[in-house]
Amino acid sequence: MVDTAASSYAFALADVANSNGTLEATIADVEKVDCIFSDPTVQSFFANPTISPEKKQEVLKEIASSSELQPHTTNFLNILVDMGRIDIIEDIVKEFEVCYNRITGTEVAVVSSVVRLETQDLAQIAQSVQRLSGAKNVRIKTVIDSSLVAGFTIRYGPSGSKLIDMSVKKQLDEIAAQLDFSSIALA
């Protein structure tokens, strides 16, 4: 279950971004923050209670500058450090995406493939998901999954409940299911 504090922080950031017209820039910031904080070294630095909040703020200032974060995103991260809640940044990122999607009428589609798909292929997938879901916008997240053999899968809808499976793995599984060799005794 997602931390309710994460939900509250995410909603507050989304509200500020929406009211000052920087929702698109803020979602880009949040994605950068997610990438930065997915590094275990960064996580352990900010989780370390022996490092002073001032030192953490210094490092945040460098991160914000090098990542070109919006001022309100930087302030938000500073508040999390001050409040000792930077440890829930991953949950805040997930919740912010939910808020963003709700505000903008966006459907997220996770496309898994063996190789990186071309931009035009992803655009066609986005159009198909938009048509199927009725969403105003579609954001594509890509995942590389070598177990698919070839082809791709698309997962969208509430909690990824809808699946379009165009993978070779699925086709192989279906063929294997049709070929029931259980009654054959091997010599």
Side-chain angles (χ1 to χ4, degrees), residues 28-46 59-69 73-74 77 86 89-90 93:
D29 281 359
V30 168
E31 288 170 353
K32 290 176 193 173
V33 167
D34 188 33
C35 188
I36 292 163
F37 279 86
S38 66
D39 180 334
T41 309
V42 174
Q43 280 180 11
S44 64
F45 173 82
F46 282 98
V59 171
L60 263 182
K61 189 175 179 180
E62 290 173 29
I63 289 171
S65 175
S66 65
S67 301
E68 299 177 357
L69 299 179
T73 306
T74 304
L77 292 173
I86 198 76
I89 192 68
E90 286 180 35
V93 165

Side-chain angles (χ1 to χ4, degrees), residues 102-120:
R102 194 174 321 124
I103 292 167
T104 60
T106 299
E107 179 75 52
V108 175
V110 178
V111 178
S112 300
S113 59
V114 178
V115 295
R116 193 170 176 77
L117 295 174
E118 297 294 324
T119 306
Q120 67 267 21

Side-chain angles (χ1 to χ4, degrees), residues 2 10 30 34 88-99 101:
V2 175
V30 168
D34 188 33
I88 61 170
I89 192 68
E90 286 180 35
D91 289 337
I92 293 171
V93 165
K94 287 180 191 136
E95 288 297 304
F96 182 85
E97 287 179 349
V98 170
C99 291
N101 294 341

Side-chain angles (χ1 to χ4, degrees), residues 2-185:
V2 175
D3 189 323
T4 54
S7 218
S8 299
Y9 281 115
F11 179 78
L13 180 61
D15 194 40
V16 167
N18 194 28
S19 64
N20 69 18
T22 60
L23 202 51
E24 293 304 319
T26 306
I27 189 76
D29 281 359
V30 168
E31 288 170 353
K32 290 176 193 173
V33 167
D34 188 33
C35 188
I36 292 163
F37 279 86
S38 66
D39 180 334
T41 309
V42 174
Q43 280 180 11
S44 64
F45 173 82
F46 282 98
N48 188 336
T50 64
I51 297 172
S52 73
E54 293 77 25
K55 181 66 180 163
K56 291 176 184 177
Q57 302 257 341
E58 255 178 63
V59 171
L60 263 182
K61 189 175 179 180
E62 290 173 29
I63 289 171
S65 175
S66 65
S67 301
E68 299 177 357
L69 299 179
Q70 301 285 310
H72 65 269
T73 306
T74 304
N75 291 341
F76 179 75
L77 292 173
N78 282 318
I79 289 167
L80 292 177
V81 167
D82 287 346
M83 303 295 283
R85 296 314 312 255
I86 198 76
D87 60 315
I88 61 170
I89 192 68
E90 286 180 35
D91 289 337
I92 293 171
V93 165
K94 287 180 191 136
E95 288 297 304
F96 182 85
E97 287 179 349
V98 170
C99 291
Y100 170 87
N101 294 341
R102 194 174 321 124
I103 292 167
T104 60
T106 299
E107 179 75 52
V108 175
V110 178
V111 178
S112 300
S113 59
V114 178
V115 295
R116 193 170 176 77
L117 295 174
E118 297 294 324
T119 306
Q120 67 267 21
D121 296 329
L122 294 173
Q124 284 182 322
I125 290 169
Q127 286 174 346
S128 296
V129 170
Q130 188 172 20
R131 197 173 53 252
L132 290 167
S133 67
K136 279 195 253 175
N137 307 297
V138 174
R139 288 181 68 223
I140 300 284
K141 290 187 173 193
T142 58
V143 175
I144 300 298
D145 181 355
S146 58
S147 75
L148 297 176
V149 183
F152 59 90
T153 63
I154 306 165
R155 190 168 285 284
Y156 69 99
S159 303
S161 60
K162 307 247 191 252
L163 174 69
I164 300 170
D165 193 337
M166 305 296 288
S167 69
V168 171
K169 180 184 183 313
K170 176 191 172 212
Q171 293 168 4
L172 291 172
D173 289 346
E174 286 173 354
I175 291 168
Q178 290 172 5
L179 302 172
D180 182 11
F181 294 117
S182 60
S183 62
I184 297 172

